[in-house]
Amino acid sequence: MNSLFIEEKELDALMKSIQPYAKKGSMPEYIPELNKMDPDLFGCAICNEDSMTAAGDADYLFTLQSVSKVISLALSLMDQGEEVVFSKVGMEPTGDPFHTIHALEEEKPSKPLNPMINAGAIAVTSLIAGKSGEEKIGRLLTFIHELTGNPAISICEKTARSEKENADLNRALSYFMKSHQVIDGDMESLLDVYIKQCSIQMNCKDLARIGSIIGKKGRDPNSGRNIIPPRIARIVKTFMVTCGMYNASGEFAIRAGVPAKSGVSGAMLGALPDGTGIGIISPPLDKKGNSAAGLKLLETLSQKYKWSIFT
Ligand code: GLN
């Protein structure tokens, strides 16, 4: 069944029944500003072409965190091409958590396993075209304005500062990769771009629009233009399936079968090939760093509306 049949009151009722799952999660600790988010926030937007169904806190602004990895991957692939990008980052899922460092030491050459874990995402961000960090983040924002049609989307400087003060693990990953010639340049400037990228803030409706475009081969439903080339949209969607929920991706593929990406803010993005895009926010996280209620909501929606791409 197509998502266009979902009514707001139906989504609202479903969310009310799933809200208790948030209690099973806990708030992230390593970025203090995220820890301050309201654990009861719960928003969801589902869009397809020009229809949008939204419920709960769908207008609330939150930072993308790891959801941004999907967008920076698309942009760096558009900037540099597959050969360059995949010379720096692999295509394989991992059973390790998103901030793992040990795999970098075991892999020879020590390039990160995939673009959805922190090391891989930092390497990908280093490939965004631009002479300065400012230009790189500016280009990423412009790309997001184009994808969402919302030029007001900006960086939450407070969250970026909060992460910068607690970024030693990402700093370590960056310097490790530099010492093994995976990436080069000024690591502090690169970290700055990566952290700002994670702190880009938007609401569930903006996120759902991005999902819709990625889902439908990169095509903008308004202009009919391909904002993302179809082949790149396909690569991005494939990574969302194999690595989007970190080391919970296999189970999520079986239960939901939706190309999706989560972030430590409790954000979740879903992208279906029929152009259905889903944006969710619910901050408490399960043990693997995925939104506890968000995961349950996407699984339930997928089962109810037969969204799995593996049917
Ligand atoms: N900004 C966070 C970090 O790099 C993003 C991680 C996440 O969302 N899982 O640690």
Side-chain angles (χ1 to χ4, degrees):
M1 194 194 293
N2 195 291
S3 60
L4 295 175
F5 292 91
I6 303 174
E7 283 179 25
E8 198 174 303
K9 59 175 192 308
E10 211 177 324
L11 179 60
D12 198 56
L14 192 61
M15 287 169 70
K16 288 208 168 74
S17 71
I18 286 171
Q19 175 93 55
Y21 280 84
K23 296 263 179 286
K24 295 179 190 256
S26 54
M27 298 298 284
E29 301 207 333
Y30 76 106
I31 303 177
E33 209 45 43
L34 294 183
N35 188 265
K36 288 186 204 154
M37 286 178 82
D38 176 0
D40 293 328
L41 267 177
F42 197 16
C44 176
I46 303 168
C47 79
N48 196 323
E49 297 285 332
D50 52 4
S51 85
M52 174 81 73
T53 305
D57 301 302
D59 289 307
Y60 183 88
L61 293 183
F62 51 85
T63 59
L64 287 178
Q65 300 303 328
S66 280
V67 174
S68 68
K69 292 169 179 170
V70 164
I71 309 164
S72 57
L73 175 63
L75 185 59
S76 66
L77 281 167
M78 285 159 66
D79 283 347
Q80 310 286 353
E82 285 171 54
E83 207 176 314
V84 171
V85 172
F86 296 122
S87 70
K88 305 286 183 196
V89 65
M91 301 183 192
E92 298 305 332
T94 168
D96 291 325
F98 64 84
H99 38 50
T100 182
I101 193 161
H102 88 89
L104 278 180
E105 205 169 5
E106 279 172 12
E107 291 296 310
K108 299 281 178 262
S110 65
K111 67 178 188 183
L113 281 166
N114 69 68
M116 300 292 125
I117 53 172
N118 283 9
I122 292 169
V124 162
T125 296
S126 79
L127 297 172
I128 294 175
K131 284 187 205 72
S132 62
E134 225 162 89
E135 194 182 334
K136 285 173 195 263
I137 192 72
R139 290 192 60 251
L140 187 64
L141 266 175
T142 305
F143 184 47
I144 287 178
H145 295 162
E146 228 187 319
L147 288 167
T148 55
N150 179 1
I153 288 174
S154 62
I155 293 160
C156 174
E157 297 290 348
K158 219 172 168 190
T159 307
R161 266 196 307 277
S162 178
E163 179 166 358
K164 189 100 200 259
E165 285 159 13
N166 296 279
D168 286 343
L169 189 48
N170 284 333
R171 185 167 282 112
L173 293 170
S174 309
Y175 280 97
F176 187 92
M177 287 191 286
K178 184 177 181 182
S179 75
H180 287 267
Q181 292 87 45
V182 179
I183 51 179
D184 54 22
D186 175 17
M187 289 304 104
E188 293 306 317
S189 157
L190 171 58
L191 273 171
D192 207 54
V193 179
Y194 170 75
I195 289 168
K196 284 188 173 149
Q197 153 194 329
C198 291
S199 292
I200 292 172
Q201 57 181 351
M202 62 179 67
N203 64 31
C204 292
K205 294 174 184 168
D206 298 315
L207 198 52
R209 284 192 194 97
I210 295 177
S212 170
I213 293 177
I214 293 175
K216 208 162 189 178
K217 301 183 176 176
R219 183 182 158 273
D220 176 7
N222 297 317
S223 65
R225 189 172 76 80
N226 273 87
I227 302 182
I228 303 171
R231 183 172 166 86
I232 292 181
R234 184 173 71 74
I235 293 173
V236 166
K237 247 181 320 204
T238 310
F239 275 120
M240 289 168 81
V241 172
T242 57
C243 317
M245 298 288 126
Y246 319 110
N247 45 336
S249 299
E251 186 175 342
F252 186 73
I254 287 169
R255 291 192 195 279
V258 174
K261 181 74 199 91
S262 67
V264 77
S265 52
M268 281 184 68
L269 162 71
L272 287 165
D274 74 347
T276 300
I278 306 112
I280 299 175
I281 182 70
S282 169
L285 305 174
D286 66 15
K287 288 198 174 61
K288 293 185 173 174
N290 296 310
S291 168
L295 204 73
K296 186 67 189 170
L297 178 60
L298 201 44
E299 270 177 26
T300 310
L301 282 166
S302 177
Q303 283 161 13
K304 190 161 177 199
Y305 297 105
K306 309 212 178 332
W307 280 348
S308 175
I309 61 169
F310 300 109
T311 50

